[in-house]
Amino acid sequence: MTRLEGTVALVTGASSGIGHATALELAREGASVALVGRREDRLTDLAAEISKAGGKALVVPADITDAQMAAEAVERTVEGLGRLDTLVNNAGLMLLGPAPGTDLNDWRRMIDINLMGLMYTTHAAVPHLVKAAAEEPRQVADIGSLAGRNAYAMSAVYSATKFGVGAFSESLRQELARQHVRVSVIEPGSVDTELRTHNPAVVQQYIAASLGDIERLQGQDIADTVGYIVTRPRHVAVAELLVRPTEQV
């Protein structure tokens, strides 16, 4: 029996990067996985990959910046897969640049997906997670989110959203702990995903120059971290975990 057999996980932002790798990792551990994102074609390809490996996946196209769509994504997961044991809040957007003179729409877009979208999905998922934590097979449920620990120049609002995720998660952890719903934040250092490609070329050059030629993390490194957290024994909760490239200072 694999460690997550009989459970269901929902992964937002599953169409690429960390979300894609995390969905595969949770499926390898035996969970049925709901794949949530806006790019249905990529979700369909991922579902086929999971199915080919003997797993089960449900494609749930949704824009979680819309509260109703986020709630419907959770309900479709429960209806299609029978329950919900694990929520991975991965979907995010990173638009960097100097704060003075920036496009306010960029700030709003990051707040909408990094913070509000996460809150909408979590709000809809919590009742199902509480129910799953009271049942077999694990008698525990998990919420995992990507948060931030440090703020940097050129990332004022991106950092603000990630600090907000950390505060929201810690408060929620305290509220749900006695119900055996574990709430964890993962704080990744530099990860080699498409996230940075949403920025103009000059900003991407700035990012590359600030990191130098270090070996960056891969999506699978964070997926491994998620897998570790959600497979701990029922009495063990990893509330916060910082993961950086060895060379990143």
Side-chain angles (χ1 to χ4, degrees), residues 27-39:
R28 280 191 289 267
E29 290 287 357
S32 298
V33 186
L35 311 173
V36 178
R38 289 179 290 189
R39 292 176 287 188

Side-chain angles (χ1 to χ4, degrees), residues 41-122:
D41 57 336
R42 293 196 180 189
L43 299 179
T44 300
D45 290 344
L46 176 56
E49 185 176 354
I50 290 172
S51 296
K52 185 177 180 180
K56 185 175 183 179
L58 176 69
V59 174
V60 185
D63 179 355
I64 62 167
T65 65
D66 181 295
Q68 182 174 343
M69 290 187 71
E72 288 173 353
V74 171
E75 293 307 316
R76 284 188 59 189
T77 298
V78 175
E79 290 172 5
L81 298 176
R83 57 188 291 139
L84 181 59
D85 302 80
T86 302
L87 169 64
V88 181
N89 286 311
N90 164 76
L93 179 65
M94 181 180 73
L95 301 174
L96 306 183
T102 194
D103 184 344
L104 293 179
N105 288 323
D106 287 348
W107 286 4
R108 174 57 60 188
R109 290 170 63 198
M110 285 190 286
I111 292 168
D112 283 347
I113 190 166
N114 296 354
L115 193 53
M116 296 309 301
L118 175 147
M119 290 179 175
Y120 295 149
T121 307
T122 301

Side-chain angles (χ1 to χ4, degrees), residues 64 138 149 193 205:
I64 62 167
R138 294 195 307 153
R149 182 177 293 190
T193 71
Q205 292 167 7

Side-chain angles (χ1 to χ4, degrees), residues 3-227:
R3 292 185 287 185
L4 298 179
E5 187 174 335
T7 72
V8 172
L10 185 160
V11 180
T12 68
S15 60
S16 66
I18 293 171
H20 180 281
T22 297
L24 288 171
E25 181 65 25
L26 296 178
R28 280 191 289 267
E29 290 287 357
S32 298
V33 186
L35 311 173
V36 178
R38 289 179 290 189
R39 292 176 287 188
E40 185 173 0
D41 57 336
R42 293 196 180 189
L43 299 179
T44 300
D45 290 344
L46 176 56
E49 185 176 354
I50 290 172
S51 296
K52 185 177 180 180
K56 185 175 183 179
L58 176 69
V59 174
V60 185
D63 179 355
I64 62 167
T65 65
D66 181 295
Q68 182 174 343
M69 290 187 71
E72 288 173 353
V74 171
E75 293 307 316
R76 284 188 59 189
T77 298
V78 175
E79 290 172 5
L81 298 176
R83 57 188 291 139
L84 181 59
D85 302 80
T86 302
L87 169 64
V88 181
N89 286 311
N90 164 76
L93 179 65
M94 181 180 73
L95 301 174
L96 306 183
T102 194
D103 184 344
L104 293 179
N105 288 323
D106 287 348
W107 286 4
R108 174 57 60 188
R109 290 170 63 198
M110 285 190 286
I111 292 168
D112 283 347
I113 190 166
N114 296 354
L115 193 53
M116 296 309 301
L118 175 147
M119 290 179 175
Y120 295 149
T121 307
T122 301
H123 182 268
V126 163
H128 300 289
L129 295 168
V130 169
K131 182 176 185 294
E135 301 173 346
E136 298 290 346
R138 294 195 307 153
Q139 293 188 300
V140 69
D142 288 284
I143 302 171
S145 303
L146 302 187
R149 182 177 293 190
N150 298 311
Y152 300 96
M154 308 279 282
S155 67
V157 174
Y158 178 73
S159 295
T161 63
K162 292 302 182 177
F163 274 57
V165 168
F168 175 75
S169 299
E170 173 56 19
S171 179
L172 195 63
R173 183 194 68 80
Q174 295 177 31
E175 292 184 33
L176 298 177
R178 294 298 180 92
Q179 294 166 282
H180 284 91
V181 177
R182 302 181 296 201
V183 182
S184 307
V185 294
I186 301 166
E187 299 160 338
S190 181
V191 185
D192 188 15
T193 71
E194 68 176 38
L195 198 63
R196 70 184 187 280
T197 66
H198 301 146
N199 291 278
V202 64
V203 175
Q204 294 187 49
Q205 292 167 7
Y206 170 84
I207 296 170
S210 66
L211 292 170
D213 60 355
I214 70 168
E215 184 178 3
R216 302 170 70 188
L217 297 174
Q218 300 299 310
Q220 184 60 47
D221 297 316
I222 306 305
D224 290 343
T225 303
V226 174

